[in-house]
């Protein structure tokens, strides 16, 4: 089957040659320069472990110009990029490498990848500050990719390990084209992106979507503080801001007086943005926040075009959405195909008509989608889905722990966070529990609130009482 994405990118890179394509704190590349570097880098990608198969290349790095070069290089070399969250720790990265049969890993030189790669970096300068290393061969046979798979991304699923979503080139291309059409993205737009390109928010709105009309993509290194946001907006004269709700909350707390003069659109997704934060952000900056709803497995689904009022907007082109009592179901042109490393799990979430059960509950009012809750157990923290059962299982493995319950709560700023109440033996502290989690889990899965207790409060039928657990979090910790 002929791939879609190499040709699509080659076309836009040639068509917009002299325009600025992508920048970061270290520099910028015009479209023609990006094409040259990506093609040169593609020449240095080694052959896959399995002769005759496409190279499977993990991208494990933060946003940068070099990341975009690496992504395009894999496509131009005929390989399949696997976009791993840079917040994944060594444990999850090792599971991904083995589950998916990765051949190569593009990573920062200082990344903790020793358990995954052989010491054989290419040293190719075309990858800039990133290193390309060969992944060690695992004994387990690797699963076969679908013939039309061109990109793989990850989501934390109900299996407790990162599920690898296979996307066809047609699905990735449709996600970008429908986003451009549905949101009015143009060549004059300059996108300041503070979401990781491995995440659906950035991947669907700010990569191929930015390049199709000839817009420019501006990436930030490091923690996206309010100060860093303002600095990037001012230096690039950005017209669009793409970020998770936590960043908008940070901006509201800082209450900046300037920096948003050129911004016309702010886009939020990944988790619910509180209405008072949205209103206060617009009051401070004059910029409307446009909510966007998407699901990792289905791509972008809705967009609030007017940036006013509550709700997540109307369905984008190519999307059919049903909001019914049993939950929200969707069918889109940008849907994934399956989970490479979890056979049958994706398929179980499809109904007889091919609609994907999102696990969200909500309704349509005046054509706009409004979410009201979840039908599944996953906790949404900063745009990342976390399985609380996985976290509780990890905590139960800590020395001195009798039982544990993990659940969604609010931190001191009123933002969603993962909390855990843990029944422990005397002497076990929140610090020791946190250290145990950090040794096994990626940082974003370590509970933001940990409360050691003598016993887990239960309801009348013996199950943990979430209501009483939440009340526990508001009480001062017992003296130790």
């Amino acid at each position: 089957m002929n791939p879609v994405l190499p040709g699509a990118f080659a076309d836009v890179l040639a068509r917009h040659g002299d325009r600025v394509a992508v920048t970061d704190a270290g520099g910028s590349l015009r479209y023609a320069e990006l094409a040259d570097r990506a093609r040169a880098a593609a020449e240095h990608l080694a052959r896959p472990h399995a002769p005759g198969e496409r190279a499977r290349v993990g991208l494990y790095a933060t946003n940068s110009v070099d990341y975009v070069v690496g992504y395009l290089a894999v496509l131009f070399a005929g390989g399949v990029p696997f976009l791993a969250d840079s917040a994944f720790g060594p444990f999850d990265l090792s599971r991904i490498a083995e589950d998916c049969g990765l051949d190569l890993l593009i990573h920062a030189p200082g990344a903790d990848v020793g358990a995954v790669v052989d010491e054989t970096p290419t040293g190719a300068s075309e990858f800039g500050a990133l290193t390309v290393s060969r992944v060690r061969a695992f004994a387990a046979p690797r699963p076969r990719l679908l013939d039309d798979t061109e990109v793989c991304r990850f989501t934390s699923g109900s299996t407790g390990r990162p599920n690898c979503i296979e996307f066809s080139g047609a699905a990735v291309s449709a996600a970008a084209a429908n986003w451009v059409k549905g949101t009015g993205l143009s060549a004059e737009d300059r996108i300041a992106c503070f979401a990781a390109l491995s995440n659906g928010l950035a991947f669907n709105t700010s990569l191929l979507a930015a390049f199709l009309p000839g817009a420019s993509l501006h990436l930030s290194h490091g923690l996206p503080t309010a100060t860093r946001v303002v600095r990037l907006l001012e230096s690039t004269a950005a017209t669009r801001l793409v970020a998770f709700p936590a960043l908008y909350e940070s901006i509201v707390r800082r209450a900046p007086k300037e920096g948003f003069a050129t911004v016309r659109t702010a886009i939020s997704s990944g988790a619910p943005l509180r209405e008072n934060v949205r209103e206060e952000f617009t009051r401070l900056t004059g910029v409307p926040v446009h909510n966007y709803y998407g699901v990792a497995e289905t791509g972008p689904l809705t967009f609030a075009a007017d940036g006013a009022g509550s709700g997540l907007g109307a369905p984008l082109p190519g999307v059919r959405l049903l909001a019914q009592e049993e939950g929200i179901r969707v069918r889109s042109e940008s849907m994934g195909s399956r989970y490479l490393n979890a056979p049958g799990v994706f398929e179980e979430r499809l109904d007889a008509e091919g609609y994907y059960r999102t696990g969200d509950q909500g309704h349509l009012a005046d054509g706009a989608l409004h979410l009201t809750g979840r039908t599944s157990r996953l906790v949404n923290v900063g745009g990342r889905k976390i399985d609380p059962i996985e976290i509780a299982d990890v905590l139960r493995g800590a020395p001195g722990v009798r039982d544990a319950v993990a659940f969604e709560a609010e931190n001191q700023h009123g933002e969603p966070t993962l909390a855990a109440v843990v029944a422990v033996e005397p002497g076990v502290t929140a610090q020791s529990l946190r250290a145990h989690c950090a040794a096994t889990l990626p940082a974003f899965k370590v509970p933001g609130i940990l409360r050691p207790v003598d016993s887990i409060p239960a309801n009348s039928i013996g199950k943990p009482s979430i209501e009483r657990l939440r009340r526990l979090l508001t009480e001062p910790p017992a003296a130790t």
Side-chain angles (χ1 to χ4, degrees):
M1 181 172 293
N2 292 328
V4 172
L5 295 180
F9 275 107
D11 175 66
V12 297
L13 295 176
R15 185 151 35 93
H16 307 304
D18 289 335
R19 300 180 64 86
V20 173
V22 58
T23 77
D24 62 18
S28 66
L29 290 177
R30 297 184 180 277
Y31 278 86
E33 294 169 331
L34 177 57
D36 290 343
R37 264 195 62 186
R39 289 194 176 96
E43 297 296 323
H44 293 277
L45 292 175
R47 304 295 300 172
H49 288 305
E53 291 195 16
R54 294 171 290 169
R56 304 182 186 189
V57 186
L59 271 78
Y60 181 62
T62 56
N63 286 1
S64 67
V65 168
D66 297 331
Y67 185 103
V68 178
V69 169
Y71 172 69
L72 294 179
V74 177
L75 294 175
F76 287 159
V80 177
F82 287 68
L83 310 187
D85 192 329
S86 62
F88 286 151
F91 183 66
D92 272 336
L93 185 64
S94 181
R95 292 199 294 187
I96 285 169
E98 182 173 13
D99 279 358
C100 302
L102 298 186
D103 297 298
L104 302 171
L105 191 70
I106 299 175
H107 59 91
D112 187 0
V113 297
V116 174
V117 306
D118 293 328
E119 296 298 320
T120 55
T122 68
S125 61
E126 287 81 6
F127 289 95
L130 300 180
T131 294
V132 184
S133 298
R134 179 172 284 279
V135 175
R136 68 181 180 87
F138 291 90
R142 66 180 187 175
R144 182 180 178 277
L145 286 168
L146 296 173
D147 290 342
D148 63 353
T149 295
E150 295 188 40
V151 175
C152 289
R153 293 181 40 245
F154 294 89
T155 181
S156 295
S158 58
T159 60
R161 60 200 302 147
N163 287 340
C164 177
I165 314 168
E166 294 185 60
F167 288 94
S168 68
V172 174
S173 182
N178 289 334
W179 179 259
V180 171
K181 182 179 180 181
T183 69
L185 186 63
S186 75
E188 304 310 312
D189 276 307
R190 297 172 295 279
I191 304 168
C193 179
F194 289 89
L197 290 171
S198 59
N199 185 278
L201 172 58
F203 181 79
N204 292 319
T205 71
S206 307
L207 197 51
L208 178 56
F211 295 163
L212 283 178
S216 57
L217 175 60
H218 303 277
L219 304 171
S220 174
H221 289 287
L223 186 67
T225 61
T227 299
R228 192 183 296 274
V229 171
V230 169
R231 189 180 304 128
L232 183 66
L233 296 178
E234 290 182 330
S235 65
T236 61
T239 62
R240 285 197 178 196
L241 169 61
V242 175
F244 290 116
L247 187 140
Y248 293 103
E249 304 227 3
S250 174
I251 291 172
V252 165
R253 288 196 297 270
R254 181 178 177 272
K257 304 299 181 186
E258 54 188 14
F260 292 83
T262 61
V263 181
R264 298 193 303 267
T265 301
I267 296 167
S268 175
S269 186
L273 178 64
R274 290 184 295 164
E275 187 64 17
N276 64 318
V277 173
R278 186 185 68 81
E279 291 176 352
E280 181 64 8
F281 175 86
T282 300
R283 187 190 70 79
L284 288 168
T285 65
V287 179
V289 179
H290 298 257
N291 284 321
Y292 146 64
Y293 173 63
V295 176
E297 292 84 353
T298 64
L301 298 172
T302 72
F303 180 71
D306 60 5
S310 59
L312 299 174
L316 288 161
V319 172
R320 297 187 66 184
L321 186 150
L322 302 175
Q324 299 174 331
E325 185 174 342
E326 65 270 23
I328 296 170
R329 294 180 294 145
V330 298
R331 194 166 65 189
S332 71
E333 295 176 355
S334 53
M335 280 181 63
S337 306
R338 65 173 186 178
Y339 296 133
L340 175 66
N341 59 339
V345 174
F346 185 97
E347 292 82 349
E348 289 174 358
R349 296 177 182 172
L350 300 177
D351 65 16
E353 299 174 272
Y355 282 82
Y356 181 84
R357 301 180 182 93
T358 67
D360 289 318
Q361 290 179 313
H363 62 274
L364 290 167
D366 297 325
L369 175 65
H370 296 253
L371 295 186
T372 58
R374 292 281 298 171
T375 61
S376 72
R377 70 187 186 214
L378 297 186
V379 175
N380 189 334
V381 178
R384 294 187 173 101
K385 305 295 194 306
I386 303 172
D387 185 350
I389 291 180
E390 175 195 10
I391 310 307
D393 285 344
V394 169
L395 283 164
R396 291 188 190 106
V401 170
R402 295 192 297 266
D403 199 2
V405 179
F407 53 95
E408 183 176 337
E410 289 187 350
N411 63 18
Q412 67 270 30
H413 302 300
E415 301 163 354
T417 191
L418 181 70
V421 174
V422 190
V424 299
E425 303 289 349
V428 177
T429 65
Q431 289 77 11
S432 66
L433 294 172
R434 194 176 303 280
H436 174 80
C437 290
T440 303
L441 299 166
F444 70 87
K445 289 186 178 182
V446 177
I449 301 172
L450 271 166
R451 177 62 60 87
V453 295
D454 293 331
S455 61
I456 301 291
N459 59 23
S460 60
I461 60 173
K463 291 187 177 183
S465 170
I466 297 299
E467 180 182 353
R468 292 171 64 189
L469 289 170
R470 292 188 193 281
R471 282 206 306 269
L472 256 180
L473 301 183
T474 67
E475 301 171 359
T480 57

